């Protein structure tokens, strides 16, 4: 599995000058113990400035969303490393020694997450395929027509105008032109394979639900920070126009 661009840049930063202090067993071997509660409560939000800076942190956190594979204790260590770098403090551990471990840990956790998502996705696909009127293709795509269209059917070479809402299998909405109140246009040749295949089954004016397995969506890399590795996705789609 390839490490994402943002995560790779972060790990390269660790290798060069960052201060990463991992918890047990690594921290135990170093004889260091971190005060987890101190890390979590190191800032208060009792002023307008602190709230503004917290908002900046939220933005940065979204950009590093792929690091959410770490648990809360591990994130404490990660945040301590980030804080030490930004405060120009000396590293608390041997970076040359632990940077390769950091990358290996991250990749292993990504693989674990992808395996969990794949298992959940397989069950979700099976349930979707069992719905009355659903059709499953050779690629694993599940197509369920919810409103019959009467216009043109697109080809892979066409541009389409659609409304859509995309969800993870747990119901989390990760993208929605419906919520934005504005349909979107794009060439069918420039989207994920599940969309290219699924929309060719539609006609203008039609609506459907597409349940797309990971291997014809975003695969084992996902699309951080909103789509995890190995995620099966579902889209409610309205085909407005073929261009």
């Amino acid at each position: 599995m390839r490490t994402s661009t943002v995560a790779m840049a972060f790990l390269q930063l660790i290798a060069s000058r960052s201060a990463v202090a991992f918890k047990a067993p690594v921290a135990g071997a170093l004889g260091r113990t971190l005060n987890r509660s101190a890390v979590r409560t190191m800032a208060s939000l009792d002023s307008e400035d602190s709230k503004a800076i917290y908002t900046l942190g939220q933005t940065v956190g979204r950009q590093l969303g792929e690091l959410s594979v770490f648990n809360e204790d591990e994130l404490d260590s990660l945040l301590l490393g980030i804080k030490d770098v930004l405060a120009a403090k000396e590293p608390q551990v041997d970076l040359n020694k632990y940077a390769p471990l950091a990358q290996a840990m991250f990749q292993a956790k990504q693989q674990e997450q992808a395996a969990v998502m794949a298992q959940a996705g397989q069950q979700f696909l099976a349930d979707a395929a069992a719905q009355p009127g659903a059709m499953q293709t050779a690629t694993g795509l599940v197509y369920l027509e919810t409103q019959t269209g009467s216009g043109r059917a697109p080809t892979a070479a066409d541009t389409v105008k659609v409304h859509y809402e995309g969800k993870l299998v747990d119901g989390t909405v990760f993208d929605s032109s419906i919520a934005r109140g504005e349909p979107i246009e794009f060439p069918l040749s420039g989207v994920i394979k599940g969309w290219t295949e699924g929309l060719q089954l539609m006609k203008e004016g039609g609506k459907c639900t597409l349940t797309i397995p990971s291997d014809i969506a975003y695969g084992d890399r996902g699309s951080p920070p909103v789509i995890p590795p190995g995620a099966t996705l579902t889209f409610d789609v309205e085909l407005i126009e073929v261009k």
Side-chain angles (χ1 to χ4, degrees):
M1 178 182 299
R2 294 176 58 193
T3 306
S4 71
T5 302
V6 174
M8 181 64 75
F10 181 78
L11 293 172
Q12 288 172 344
L13 176 63
I14 291 174
S16 61
R17 285 299 298 164
S18 68
V20 179
F22 289 104
K23 293 197 185 315
V26 177
L30 293 170
R32 298 180 183 273
T33 302
L34 296 178
N35 186 335
R36 295 193 296 269
S37 62
V39 174
R40 291 182 188 142
T41 60
M42 59 186 173
S44 61
L45 302 177
D46 55 0
S47 71
E48 291 301 296
D49 284 352
S50 64
K51 292 174 184 176
I53 294 170
Y54 174 82
T55 301
L56 176 61
Q58 286 276 310
T59 301
V60 172
R62 291 189 186 95
Q63 294 171 348
L64 296 175
E66 60 266 55
L67 298 176
S68 64
V69 294
F70 292 108
N71 64 38
E72 192 168 357
D73 284 347
E74 291 163 340
L75 287 173
D76 284 342
S77 297
L78 187 149
L79 291 173
L80 179 61
I82 292 173
K83 182 180 179 183
D84 282 356
V85 169
L86 296 179
K89 293 183 178 180
E90 287 298 312
Q92 299 184 38
V93 301
D94 183 338
L95 302 181
N96 290 330
K97 179 179 179 180
Y98 288 109
L101 175 60
Q103 183 168 338
M105 287 175 64
F106 176 63
Q107 291 177 330
K109 284 180 176 291
Q110 278 192 312
Q111 291 169 351
E112 291 172 7
Q113 185 185 54
V116 170
M117 294 299 295
Q119 184 175 5
Q122 288 173 1
Q123 184 59 55
F124 194 86
L125 280 165
D127 292 343
Q131 293 185 43
M135 173 183 69
Q136 188 163 31
T137 71
T139 64
L141 171 75
V142 177
Y143 175 87
L144 177 63
E145 185 177 79
T146 55
Q147 177 175 298
T148 302
S150 58
R152 290 175 56 198
T155 70
D158 286 326
T159 293
V160 295
K161 182 178 182 180
V162 299
H163 254 320
Y164 70 93
E165 183 165 86
K167 299 178 184 178
L168 304 178
V169 297
D170 65 0
T172 300
V173 175
F174 60 83
D175 192 14
S176 176
S177 70
I178 298 170
R180 291 191 295 272
E182 183 176 353
I184 187 171
E185 296 182 13
F186 52 78
L188 273 185
S189 60
V191 292
I192 59 175
K193 293 179 180 179
W195 265 78
T196 304
E197 179 184 0
L199 265 73
Q200 291 182 79
L201 301 174
M202 303 181 69
K203 292 182 178 180
E204 289 173 321
K207 296 181 180 181
C208 77
T209 297
L210 300 176
T211 304
I212 304 178
S214 172
D215 57 351
I216 55 171
Y218 293 93
D220 287 344
R221 293 190 65 188
S223 183
V226 294
I227 299 175
T232 291
L233 307 176
T234 180
F235 291 90
D236 293 319
V237 183
E238 176 186 3
L239 179 55
I240 299 171
E241 185 180 0
V242 178
K243 297 189 173 184

